[in-house]
Amino acid sequence: MTPTIIDTDPGIDDALALLFAWGSPELEVEALTTVAGNVPLALATVNAWRVRELCRPAPAPVIAEGAAAPLRRPLRTAADYHGQDGLGDIGGWPETPERVASGQAVDVMIDAARRHRRRLVLIAIGPLTNVALALERDAEALRAIGRLVIMGGAVDVPGNVTPDAEFNIHVDPDAARRVFEAGLPIDLVPLDATRQAILRREELSEALARTPGPVAERIAAFTAFGFRERGADGTTGLTLHDPLAVGVAADPTLATWDRVRLIIGADGETRRRAGAPNCRVAVGLDRARFVQRFLERLCPRSA
Ligand code: RIB
Ligand code: CA
């Protein structure tokens, strides 16, 4: 099993990514680090706790809280896409305890990087503020990890918050620029790939019907809000942005990759440039194999 840390701003697709990670035997998720993005930090941390409580993975990953705002620009959230509470505004979650987080995100990231070095996979599925702050503290430790899998960017396709920028990179372009210039082993999963992974409502319903129970009911409820994207084939679906980052962290062969040099624009654009590559970019996807594996692993065996 690969020691794994997931940096997240839960969000509906983040929640699915966490459940998918806990159902993936290749990954041993030892920590969730939270960052402001889809929702303000405090809510991102509570939502990470809610999803962990829903699935009760063993061993339970620690939850460590990170940055409440981007490095320089004001926070922009995505309540219109994820609901005011970030998980589809369904309510009915367990009462949140006084203390949910047990540590600071940057401390946890650097400690894991120093302990695991080449074995560690860090999956970043929110704005890159925490990763940039960890770089500031100990760049050598971060450069020694195995892979940094980032959901973000729009390389050869339009953005989803501006014509050229994707949300995670747009929210904190200063952090993203530091991360892409630091010589890290980046595997980028941009909209170019995630838009090939739009889950149809009936695909999810059929899978959840195979594992009836409280977990499946909560998944059906909190995802309902997210089924609003129109796929190329005209169906409505939920784009599996963050789950795809987890999928390729566990099995890179699900995607095809280009080695690319990217620079980060002032508003979070991710542009190709000539020169030495600074990342691998997922460009193609075996959708059938990915969606089947995602659905098989989504509802934990213990549920
Ligand atoms: O653009 C998609 C990304 O932005 C995903 O990580 C989603 O959760 C939002 O954070
Ligand atoms: Ca996210």
Side-chain angles (χ1 to χ4, degrees), residues 9 13-14 38 82 125-126 151 160 166-168 191 241-242:
D9 61 337
D13 63 321
D14 300 69
N38 287 322
H82 295 274
I125 52 177
M151 191 280 132
N160 59 0
E166 175 278 330
F167 179 81
N168 286 338
L191 298 181
H241 299 293
D242 296 341

Side-chain angles (χ1 to χ4, degrees), residues 228-252:
R228 339 156 99 212
E229 308 237 274
R230 293 195 66 73
D233 60 0
T235 58
T236 58
L238 187 153
T239 310
L240 298 175
H241 299 293
D242 296 341
L244 184 54
V246 167
V248 300
D251 179 359

